[in-house]
Amino acid sequence: MFYEVHVKGFTMAHPDVPEALRGTYAGLAHEAALAHLVDLGVTTVELLPVHQHVPEAFLGGRGLTNYWGYNTIGYFAPHDEYSAEVRAGRPGGQVAEFRAMVDALHDAGLEVVLDVVFNHTAEGDQDGPTLCFRGLYNDAYYRLYPEDPSRYEDSTGCGNTVNVSHPVSLQLVMDSLRYWLTEMGVDGFRFDLAPSLARDDRGFDRAAAFLDTVGQDPVVARAKLVAEPWDVGQTDSYELGRFPPLWREWNGRYRDTVRDFWRSHDGLLGDFAQRLTGSADLFGGDGRRPTASVNLVTVHDGFTLADLVSYDHKHNEANGEDNRDGTDDNRSWNCGAEGPTDDPVVLALRRRQQRAMLATLLLSQGVPLLLGGDELGRTQRGNNNAYCQDDDLTWFDWSAVDADLLAFTRRLIALRRGHPALRRHRFLDGSAAGALRWSTPAGDEMSAADWADPEARAVTLYLDGHAAPDRDDEGRAMVDDDFALLVNGWWEPLTCTVPPARPGRRWVGEVDTFDPTTPPAVDPTAGSAGTVVVGPRSLVLLRSAPAEG
Amino acid sequence: MFYEVHVKGFTMAHPDVPEALRGTYAGLAHEAALAHLVDLGVTTVELLPVHQHVPEAFLGGRGLTNYWGYNTIGYFAPHDEYSAEVRAGRPGGQVAEFRAMVDALHDAGLEVVLDVVFNHTAEGDQDGPTLCFRGLYNDAYYRLYPEDPSRYEDSTGCGNTVNVSHPVSLQLVMDSLRYWLTEMGVDGFRFDLAPSLARDDRGFDRAAAFLDTVGQDPVVARAKLVAEPWDVGQTDSYELGRFPPLWREWNGRYRDTVRDFWRSHDGLLGDFAQRLTGSADLFGGDGRRPTASVNLVTVHDGFTLADLVSYDHKHNEANGEDNRDGTDDNRSWNCGAEGPTDDPVVLALRRRQQRAMLATLLLSQGVPLLLGGDELGRTQRGNNNAYCQDDDLTWFDWSAVDADLLAFTRRLIALRRGHPALRRHRFLDGSAAGALRWSTPAGDEMSAADWADPEARAVTLYLDGHAAPDRDDEGRAMVDDDFALLVNGWWEPLTCTVPPARPGRRWVGEVDTFDPTTPPAVDPTAGSAGTVVVGPRSLVLLRSAPAEG
């Protein structure tokens, strides 16, 4: 699973990282920082852009900078500002320091994936500065309007678009990917606004030169490849599910559905069920697998999880654009008060909402992406576009950790890692029939009418740990316990009938997002497997354990 | 320069190659075979297909086989029939034997380029056998008609077309290229019917996935890449001059023009001049160089040079198709008698025609391709489509060598290798103005009217060896002697005025295709550099030597 994090923000305020290393590659590689990742249990660290970048000029005028770094000028250089070596007066030292960081992460059992921004550069549009490619071979590196080649096409919202259809740009991108894999040792990439790399003059094309070239490359095709499957400024730029089999995709539909479901919107139960089981509707063709779906509820761009349950509206005044920047499509719910509050009812609801969404994320088929800090209850005080905030708004505040939430998240991740039934390699249909069964809270099989009911908000998912198991690397069947996931999207508690346990097994409560401190108890009644009360807007996970012992 | 040759045919009848090695990779690597190539002075051996191939079934019924081998079934295997190891009962030995052959050629100072056939396979059309890819992933490996996917598109004349637009086929082709370069050590490829690899649903596209992928590949882009820039069966399949800068192309226009010019067709002088100086009209854009033009007069497909001057018509009866197969567009001239003759006038004319075309080929800017055996006077008895003839029709007959022609060819090649002015890296225009001057036989500058005159058949080309010289690997200017090339396409001798020699220099005769035994003498007359009599359908090359000594 992915843990999305900013190199600088992760340790800039970390008390156990030596001050000279805070906010640097060496800081991220420090044992105090690594310990958090290892204890949490994530497997892949996805770093916000580390290619050399520069801030936009207008930010300087506001006393701001570009913190996120989606503004590249050098595709072969680790950003120097994140280097303790450079800071200590050893320019060029960032290369070895970055490499050492990758080694340290590998030694800790973690993969490293880079967020790479090949769709545009910091040179921006026709009014931007000449920093790199513009002065070398403008019409090879950038898409220009055919009817007016003095102007730049913009499918990135940043003023220009790199023309990866051109052989020169294509080679630049491919050489960069090969460099970071072979020389710097990273394990893969998340491609920012990936359709901008896969568009020819007829629009998005899954046989575009870039995708074909990646697919046949002996080095790059073996890396982890994740698309952000949309871009901006052109029509038809939402390409979720359309990338080739090799690729994984950020599942934006997952985010929208999970957010809306847990604020009890109507008519989402079927959609939610698809998201929970790997989004076969999006990725079920071409031999793709559930692992093509990178499930996410929050990412760097938008609200943090804590803010998602604390704000109805963005609060971006600090960005200097009178709160006009940032999306208004947040699908957030402040749970009864906007922002900080002392109201214990609101605060309790917010905690339950965070747990419900974290549990959904970590119990869904597919690959979860956790926004770094969400496990700590990190807030950005309602700023949903903190790209220009390089301060305590964005830096991890290790003195304000929500210890209960962190413990809850760790438990969920450990559960996921321990149980192959929760992270299947194949979609549970066809030959795997029976591995997955849906029922109503009353215990009946879900009918078409049940799925179509816009008022339906609760469902039980039975995962058979024995049916059609995946194989491990040695070819052994990964038979697992069975699970029952009881989902209640209502605002009232719901008594749910539990599916019958396999003979010789009994259900034990593993997760209850309503009250994580008290394991959910199954109430057996005659002639039935029993019932469980699932709290409002909550889910319960049961695991089949041996009946005796 | 390229020497196109068939592994088997080159040594199958070579008396100095041990019998067990004749016709094999080891035979080609034998010192007796290598000596011919080294003495001749060629730099690159281009092998007809060596990927594992099978004959078409109908050939077996005629007692014939597929000799050329444009009928691949295995893109990762050296053809086993050319292996002395396999012949000796050691199956699999062809791999090491092929590798050793490449090493031997390299040790002899020769590059190895493979003729590769990725456009179709031996499986042929819907009525063909299932031999390799058809049974694995038919619609990924082959182009099918969208309206009737039971039928195969055919842009190759062989029944099917490999679908290199598909990522799976693209990877197959790229993996094969990388394999032969990195594991087998070859230096490059000649791509049979290359537009079939570079066509998408809009037709030929120089930004097709295959061309883009090759262009960015760290291994393949560094190899020598030669396109046969046409294919068959579809419209617009003559793409000469349209490949990307990285590529060289077989210059079919060169062949047509040179053949027609020397049989004294009208209106070709300007065209001939373009061919002689690197075909800037075809390759002058996109930063391409004259070396993009692979000049050729004859290749395996069509008449040999000896047959080109001995036959007006093809004589393909032995192929079993009543002489219907093979092209009728031969642009050949039998010089007065069809086929073998004792007429000394005809024979002398044939020898002169061979020399005129060989001299043209080897004195043109660009990269010459010599059909192996043309230097020996090799005949195929009028068969212009000997693909199915695996016998003494196609095997080199080392007992019937035209020693005079061989000596003449060697001299031309040595002259070319010794003089950078004869093989410029850049087109002689623009900044190189003055390096190249055209004049009439009377010594006047060629006017537009002279070029436009359809009766014009003679011209003098002055090559300034001092002007705008190329640089060698150490950056030194490769200043050279000057040359004057006097071309007479008339059927009568012509007295040509020689351009003035540089001060301190005088002209010496280097080549006279009319009579190679007597160096052409420059007849100096007062107030002029002198004149030379150029024989009918002949050319003379003069070189500026120091005036004294």
Side-chain angles (χ1 to χ4, degrees), chain B residues 31-112:
Chain B
E31 58 186 7
L34 289 180
H36 176 73
L37 301 170
V38 172
D39 292 348
L40 184 59
V42 298
T43 56
T44 303
V45 177
E46 179 175 317
L47 300 178
L48 262 70
V50 297
H51 291 172
Q52 187 72 39
H53 50 85
V54 293
E56 296 85 344
F58 69 84
L59 289 174
R62 296 179 196 157
L64 300 171
T65 189
N66 191 316
Y67 170 69
W68 283 349
Y70 292 82
N71 223 27
T72 313
I73 58 165
Y75 291 118
F76 296 86
H79 189 55
D80 60 354
E81 193 207 338
Y82 305 156
S83 167
E85 288 293 302
V86 172
R87 215 189 263 174
R90 291 185 284 274
Q94 65 268 48
V95 178
E97 183 180 342
F98 185 93
R99 190 72 183 80
M101 176 195 73
V102 173
D103 288 344
L105 285 159
H106 284 170
D107 289 347
L110 295 161
E111 293 179 313
V112 183

Side-chain angles (χ1 to χ4, degrees), chain A residues 202-326:
Chain A
R202 291 174 296 185
F204 177 81
D205 182 358
R206 66 185 299 183
F210 171 70
L211 297 179
D212 279 350
T213 304
V214 165
Q216 64 73 49
D217 192 274
V219 170
V220 180
R222 289 186 175 88
K224 291 209 158 44
L225 302 169
V226 184
E228 183 184 38
W230 51 81
D231 57 3
V232 298
Q234 300 205 0
T235 53
D236 284 329
S237 67
Y238 200 77
E239 311 297 347
L240 179 60
R242 304 206 181 107
F243 278 73
L246 194 64
W247 287 72
R248 301 161 202 267
E249 303 178 35
W250 269 22
N251 192 340
R253 178 88 172 267
Y254 185 97
R255 172 180 52 200
D256 296 345
T257 300
V258 170
R259 289 182 177 195
D260 282 343
F261 180 82
W262 286 116
R263 52 183 191 149
S264 301
H265 277 212
D266 283 355
L268 284 175
L269 190 66
D271 195 348
F272 185 81
Q274 286 280 16
R275 298 322 128 223
L276 206 54
T277 50
S279 295
D281 55 338
L282 299 171
F283 303 107
D286 299 316
R288 299 183 81 177
R289 294 163 178 255
T291 49
S293 179
V294 176
N295 301 327
L296 47 89
V297 178
T298 54
V299 295
H300 68 277
D301 188 5
F303 283 138
T304 66
L305 183 64
D307 287 356
L308 186 70
V309 299
S310 303
Y311 294 91
D312 280 358
H313 307 288
K314 67 186 182 188
H315 296 271
N316 298 354
E317 289 77 6
N319 299 348
E321 298 187 41
D322 298 328
N323 206 30
R324 287 189 308 271
D325 65 305

Side-chain angles (χ1 to χ4, degrees), chain B residues 52-54 71-76 117 120-124 128-139 141-142 152 160 162 172:
Chain B
Q52 187 72 39
H53 50 85
V54 293
N71 223 27
T72 313
I73 58 165
Y75 291 118
F76 296 86
V117 189
H120 75 283
T121 74
E123 293 191 304
T130 295
L131 299 171
C132 42
F133 308 122
R134 177 173 291 159
L136 294 170
Y137 197 171
N138 189 49
D139 54 342
Y141 286 115
Y142 297 118
Y152 292 79
N160 58 0
V162 173
L172 177 84

Side-chain angles (χ1 to χ4, degrees), chain A residues 299-366:
Chain A
V299 295
H300 68 277
D301 188 5
F303 283 138
T304 66
L305 183 64
D307 287 356
L308 186 70
V309 299
S310 303
Y311 294 91
D312 280 358
H313 307 288
K314 67 186 182 188
H315 296 271
N316 298 354
E317 289 77 6
N319 299 348
E321 298 187 41
D322 298 328
N323 206 30
R324 287 189 308 271
D325 65 305
T327 184
D328 291 309
D329 180 24
N330 293 301
R331 300 167 195 248
S332 64
W333 179 37
N334 66 18
C335 297
E338 186 74 357
T341 179
D342 295 329
D343 186 330
V345 175
V346 171
L347 292 173
L349 177 56
R350 287 178 181 174
R351 286 194 292 269
R352 290 200 301 270
Q353 289 292 91
Q354 286 171 271
R355 289 194 297 264
M357 287 190 270
L358 278 173
T360 303
L361 179 69
L362 293 165
L363 299 175
S364 292
Q365 303 292 329

Side-chain angles (χ1 to χ4, degrees), chain A residues 503-519:
Chain A
R505 293 266 171 165
R506 63 187 174 86
W507 291 117
V508 296
E510 284 282 355
V511 177
D512 181 352
T513 66
F514 187 83
D515 178 5
T517 60
T518 311

